[in-house]
Amino acid sequence: GDSVTQMEGPVTLSEEAFLTINCTYTATGYPSLFWYVQYPGEGLQLLLKATKADDKGSNKGFEATYRKETTSFHLEKGSVQVSDSAVYFCALTLNAGNNRKLIWGLGTSLAVNP
Amino acid sequence: DAGITQSPRHKVTETGTPVTLRCHQTENHRYMYWYRQDPGHGLRLIHYSYGVKDTDKGEVSDGYSVSRSKTEDFLLTLESATSSQTSVYFCAISESDSSGEKLFFGSGTQLSVL
């Protein structure tokens, strides 16, 4: 079945370090891919998305490229800040009429130290 | 801000008691969702609604019921709470464009069943 696999956390980095959070997926058809972020004590927020192969989503210095050949959507940021400390979720959706549900990864916790 | 309000924000109850969580939206979105979030499990869909009085089960619907008598309100009921239902519950609405699913989340309800 359709699934999303994320690297396990927690990930701990120093400020200004480079970040990569791996995400791979299994899906029939052509999914849209998403990264959501959850800051402490809050609900999830959409961070970025990509709808087709080779699309690059970007927001707030984060980027992810939809790689169909490797079924991946890795999240990257060149220089993390303390304020990026959060849990990051990779997700996919397949357009299917009324069955509009996201398939989620388990989340990766990121802690950035000053 | 997608205008989603969850109530209560925190709830402590005893095993066997009924509990109702409320999700209210101000944006007139058709689709609404209830998720639970637990360590090691990520986000799991409980129930969702695609219109007034139109609801369907998610992957972890046992022990939960929902109702949607008005577009703006989506209620989640635990008929007889159990300790395994201790969790953080998130309501979400969807705003779909041609790229697929995009969810907006409420701030969550922390439920403890003693």
Side-chain angles (χ1 to χ4, degrees):
Chain A
D2 303 321
S3 66
V4 174
T5 302
Q6 291 181 235
M7 62 185 288
E8 288 191 25
V11 174
T12 303
L13 296 173
S14 298
E15 206 164 23
E16 299 184 1
F18 184 85
L19 169 70
T20 299
I21 300 178
N22 291 336
C23 172
T24 58
Y25 67 90
T26 302
T28 54
Y30 302 96
S32 296
L33 301 173
F34 303 81
W35 277 101
Y36 281 79
V37 57
Q38 183 180 28
Y39 298 104
E42 298 182 11
L44 283 72
Q45 304 172 26
L46 179 65
L47 181 59
L48 53 84
K49 65 180 183 182
T51 60
K52 61 184 187 296
D54 300 325
D55 268 3
K56 178 184 282 188
S58 62
N59 186 25
K60 298 182 181 179
F62 291 89
E63 293 183 341
T65 301
Y66 189 143
R67 301 287 189 197
K68 189 169 184 290
E69 64 277 11
T70 55
T71 62
S72 65
F73 193 55
H74 304 322
L75 183 68
E76 297 181 335
K77 187 175 185 182
S79 177
V80 293
Q81 306 300 312
V82 172
S83 57
D84 294 326
S85 298
V87 181
Y88 293 83
F89 291 88
C90 185
L92 69 83
T93 187
L94 293 161
N95 295 324
N98 275 338
N99 189 19
R100 294 152 51 126
K101 294 180 284 189
L102 280 164
I103 296 170
W104 298 89
L106 295 183
T108 303
S109 176
L110 170 66
V112 180
N113 298 319
Chain B
D1 183 3
I4 307 169
T5 304
Q6 289 186 234
S7 59
R9 290 296 312 276
H10 302 275
K11 174 80 174 177
V12 179
T13 192
E14 294 184 348
T15 298
T17 59
V19 177
T20 295
L21 308 182
R22 180 177 182 246
C23 179
H24 178 79
Q25 59 145 328
T26 60
E27 302 291 329
N28 205 36
H29 288 287
R30 182 180 170 197
Y31 288 82
M32 299 183 75
Y33 306 78
W34 277 108
Y35 284 91
R36 60 178 290 174
Q37 184 178 30
D38 305 285
H41 293 278
L43 280 170
R44 292 182 290 175
L45 181 66
I46 304 171
H47 282 279
Y48 68 102
S49 170
Y50 46 95
V52 173
K53 297 186 180 178
D54 290 325
T55 65
D56 205 350
K57 296 179 180 180
E59 59 185 304
V60 290
S61 59
D62 287 349
Y64 301 94
S65 62
V66 290
S67 67
R68 188 149 178 222
S69 58
K70 298 184 292 184
T71 299
E72 59 265 35
D73 289 325
F74 191 32
L75 304 180
L76 177 71
T77 297
L78 291 65
E79 301 290 348
S80 178
T82 67
S83 58
S84 65
Q85 294 176 311
T86 291
S87 185
V88 181
Y89 291 86
F90 287 99
C91 174
I93 60 173
S94 73
E95 178 184 289
S96 180
D97 55 21
S98 59
S99 69
E101 200 62 75
K102 184 163 65 177
L103 294 178
F104 293 88
F105 285 81
S107 299
T109 296
Q110 173 71 61
L111 176 67
S112 298
V113 183
L114 306 178

